[in-house]
Amino acid sequence: MTFSGWLLIFGFAALVALLAKPFGQWLFALYEGRTTPLHRVAGPIERGFYRLSGIDPDRQQSWQAYALHMLMFQLVTTLFTYAVLRLQGVLPLNPRGLAGVGADGAMNTAIAFVTNTNWQWYSGEATLSNLSQMLGLTIHNFLSAATGIAIAFALLRGFARTETKTVGNFWADMTRVTLYLLLPASILYALFLVLCGVPQTFAGSIDATTLEGARQTIALGPVASQEAIKMLGTNGGGFFNANSAHPFENPSALTNLIQMLSIFVLGAGLTFTFGKAVGNSRQGWAILAAMLTLFLVGASVTYWQEAAGNPALHQIGLAGANLEGKEVRFGIAASALFSVLTTAASCGAVNAMHDSFTAIGGLVPMFDMQLGEIVIGGVGSGIYGFLLYALLAVFIAGLMVGRTPEYVGKKIEAREVKLAVLAIVILPLCILGFTALSVVLPAGLAGPLNKGPHGFSEVLYAFSSATGNNGSAFAGLTAGTPFYNGLLGVAMWLGRFLVIVPVLAIAGSLAAKKHTPATSGSFPTTGGLWIGLLVATILIVGGLTFLPSLALGPVADHLTLLSGKLY
């Protein structure tokens, strides 16, 4: 461990906190439907879209209508992407002449990108054409991110509105977020990446001569445009198999820092948006403080373990940090930091191989996903997932003091608590259930490349990633089989939409309630006590669910390493 490493971790957290307000203010303008400077350029496009589609952006929807329109949109776009991947071999912009993707692989990939998971069982440069990358995948990097923010807006309206049955308009929210935030920001971001050396071309490849005189074919494509929204929208699906460890996706320390910041800025900004929406900015800062507390603890543990190195190697005289699976140009601190923030958010991009981390170093990213990726979290999904735990925390506080729990002026009653628990419990049900199924069936046991606890960790990590809509992997798992493509696809779909629908139901229930002014007897939800209760609730409710699986996987893996055994 070095001073520069700790400076990177804590300096990064400080930068995120500083950027939360400006990004949150812009998001708040979109949340309210206010005019922005970009309306002069994109306003005619927005109005034209409404006219062509017959959408009235001012028509408010109930939570049921909002959910129905959202689900139908996701279903149609899933089928569209499935068709693009299956027909890839006969479609244009396929300079490498790649064949269409198989049925199970195409459905898994379509679900992965629609749900913002971006799980990749394949090598991007060897499996997908330029058209598939752009039309089949990159389009969902925008739409899935916009969907997450739209759901967050609906929940925020539930807290902010009183005695109404509406939570906004799904189509208006999606359109505004895409046109006035994701698209312009991605254009600027992509230009920056091109300036830094990231390719942006329709060429399929280029031939080069190595220093040894051998000929090498290097894959190319429209990388910068996909990379920008991949990071900003917390998508994570890489153009290349090596993802953000590839020099064409992440060429320098500067791009690495900007990519890490872009994963977190919108999620952090939404905490400020929440505070503005409920009329008390301190509420948003309290949530951000709790998030950053959990994040810094996780990043510190991972950095400590990776810098300490592999104890089994130490016992045979090979001292030093754990550099296996890491890019030397990034080093231990940047790799550890990236691994934690990409799993704290629902991004899944990687600049190091998590399967090569130490047992405890790999436990933290896994645990972040198993909490529901609420530590900053994905764009939109982070704040609405975190607010589910906030409802439970204020309910517990109410039980302790014998009062009806209240949060930002709304009484939290049985309906909201039951819906919050329903949304949270889908994670352990899918993660533990599908993992158990995979480690007893022959088709599942054929996947892990390692045996024992580390092989179990590879399977557990996969379903944690899929259900949490992350997309990163312990790369030792051979997941491109009909069994894993099918089961992981189900996990991704359930993990996304069986959380979103209860969240929208909570939004509708809260919007119908009256506003309850705070009194001297109200539990304070802005100070240190509240932040501590939030963190404790998240660790207890989210963490205890997974202790049995953690003991079987990473903890047992760590004990194996301490015993001096290698696998």
Side-chain angles (χ1 to χ4, degrees):
M1 294 183 287
T2 64
F3 174 77
S4 61
W6 289 115
L7 182 63
L8 173 64
I9 292 171
F10 284 89
F12 175 82
L15 281 174
V16 170
L18 287 173
L19 292 170
K21 184 174 181 178
F23 278 89
Q25 288 175 323
W26 189 269
L27 284 159
F28 183 65
L30 299 180
Y31 160 81
E32 287 199 316
R34 297 204 314 257
T35 300
T36 70
L38 291 178
H39 274 70
R40 291 185 178 182
V41 177
I45 300 173
E46 180 188 7
R47 292 189 293 272
F49 169 75
Y50 293 146
R51 282 196 296 270
L52 286 173
S53 58
I55 292 171
D56 178 6
D58 297 322
R59 182 179 180 181
Q60 295 289 294
Q61 297 174 323
S62 66
W63 78 264
Q64 295 95 332
Y66 202 102
L68 179 62
H69 286 223
M70 180 273 301
L71 289 171
M72 292 302 297
F73 178 67
Q74 309 305 320
L75 179 60
V76 170
T77 53
T78 300
L79 295 175
F80 169 78
T81 299
Y82 176 79
V84 169
L85 296 175
R86 292 286 283 150
L87 298 172
Q88 173 179 269
V90 298
L91 293 174
L93 292 177
N94 186 4
R96 295 185 294 279
L98 299 171
V101 181
D104 61 289
M107 182 54 68
N108 178 279
T109 303
I111 292 173
F113 279 78
V114 166
T115 59
N116 200 246
T117 310
N118 307 89
W119 173 268
Q120 294 178 289
W121 55 269
Y122 55 88
S123 173
E125 63 269 42
T127 307
L128 299 182
S129 68
N130 289 344
L131 182 70
S132 294
Q133 294 271 22
M134 293 186 297
L135 184 62
L137 304 188
T138 304
I139 187 173
H140 287 299
N141 288 351
F142 286 93
L143 297 178
S144 64
T147 297
I149 296 176
I151 302 305
F153 283 177
L155 182 57
L156 267 56
R157 293 189 187 104
F159 282 105
R161 293 180 176 180
T162 59
E163 298 182 272
T164 181
K165 296 181 179 180
T166 62
V167 294
N169 183 298
F170 172 72
W171 304 108
D173 287 339
M174 286 281 294
T175 303
R176 289 166 183 159
V177 168
T178 303
L179 279 179
Y180 302 117
L181 175 64
L182 297 177
L183 189 58
S186 295
I187 291 173
L188 294 176
Y189 195 175
L191 291 174
F192 164 77
L193 291 173
V194 170
L195 182 65
C196 293
V198 176
Q200 181 68 17
T201 175
F202 285 138
S205 61
I206 187 172
D207 291 329
T209 302
T210 68
L211 293 176
E212 293 82 7
R215 298 285 292 174
Q216 182 179 4
T217 299
I218 303 173
L220 296 173
V223 183
S225 56
Q226 180 167 322
E227 188 72 17
I229 188 59
K230 158 196 164 183
M231 310 307 290
L232 193 65
T234 61
N235 292 284
F239 193 97
F240 298 101
N241 187 45
N243 206 282
S244 287
H246 197 292
F248 282 179
E249 289 198 33
N250 192 5
S252 67
L254 175 61
T255 59
N256 191 63
L257 176 62
I258 298 301
Q259 286 189 15
M260 290 192 295
L261 284 172
S262 61
I263 293 173
F264 262 21
V265 289
L266 295 184
L270 280 165
T271 63
F272 182 84
T273 304
F274 170 70
K276 291 281 288 183
V278 299
N280 185 351
S281 294
R282 293 179 64 192
Q283 298 287 351
W285 291 122
I287 288 177
L288 183 59
M291 289 178 170
L292 289 178
T293 299
L294 289 165
F295 166 70
L296 285 172
V297 171
S300 299
V301 170
T302 302
Y303 178 41
W304 162 51
Q305 284 293 295
E306 295 307 300
N310 189 319
L313 294 179
H314 293 173
Q315 292 184 25
I316 60 175
L318 298 176
N322 178 33
L323 283 168
E324 180 190 342
K326 296 179 178 64
E327 280 287 297
V328 177
R329 60 199 172 103
F330 297 140
I332 296 293
S335 299
L337 177 60
F338 201 114
S339 73
V340 175
L341 68 93
T342 197
T343 48
S346 65
C347 185
V350 294
N351 73 349
M353 290 296 101
H354 295 181
D355 194 45
S356 295
F357 276 37
T358 61
I360 302 300
L363 181 150
V364 174
M366 190 188 300
F367 189 63
D368 280 340
M369 294 185 297
Q370 292 173 345
L371 290 178
E373 294 168 322
I374 56 169
V375 182
I376 302 296
V379 286
S381 61
I383 186 67
Y384 68 65
F386 196 95
L387 287 172
L388 295 176
Y389 282 98
L391 295 180
L392 291 184
V394 79
F395 176 72
I396 292 169
L399 291 178
M400 289 191 293
V401 299
R403 289 176 57 90
T404 300
E406 300 171 7
Y407 187 49
V408 294
K410 294 296 178 74
K411 290 188 179 294
I412 307 304
E413 298 174 299
R415 175 176 170 81
E416 292 79 38
V417 174
K418 289 176 181 178
L419 288 168
V421 171
L422 177 63
I424 291 172
V425 80
I426 191 63
L427 285 166
L429 286 178
C430 286
I431 294 171
L432 300 180
F434 290 150
T435 298
L437 191 64
S438 300
V439 296
V440 296
L441 295 179
L445 290 171
L449 295 181
N450 293 282
K451 304 303 179 184
H454 195 71
F456 178 84
S457 292
E458 290 171 352
V459 178
L460 177 64
Y461 192 106
F463 285 105
S464 300
S465 177
T467 309
N469 302 137
N470 184 268
S472 66
F474 267 12
L477 181 70
T478 303
T481 63
F483 175 84
Y484 277 109
N485 278 337
L487 209 55
L488 289 166
V490 173
M492 288 185 280
W493 192 268
L494 295 179
R496 177 73 162 179
F497 299 113
L498 287 192
V499 174
I500 284 180
V501 173
V503 165
L504 288 173
I506 291 172
S509 178
L510 292 174
K513 293 176 180 289
K514 296 180 180 180
H515 179 78
T516 304
T519 67
S520 58
S522 299
F523 183 81
T525 55
T526 57
L529 179 61
W530 169 242
I531 294 170
L533 180 61
L534 271 176
V535 172
T537 301
I538 290 166
L539 293 177
I540 293 171
V541 176
L544 288 181
T545 310
F546 305 104
L547 283 181
S549 63
L550 294 176
L552 286 170
V555 174
D557 197 12
H558 183 65
L559 295 175
T560 301
L561 289 175
L562 290 176
S563 70
K565 297 178 181 178
L566 294 173
Y567 40 80

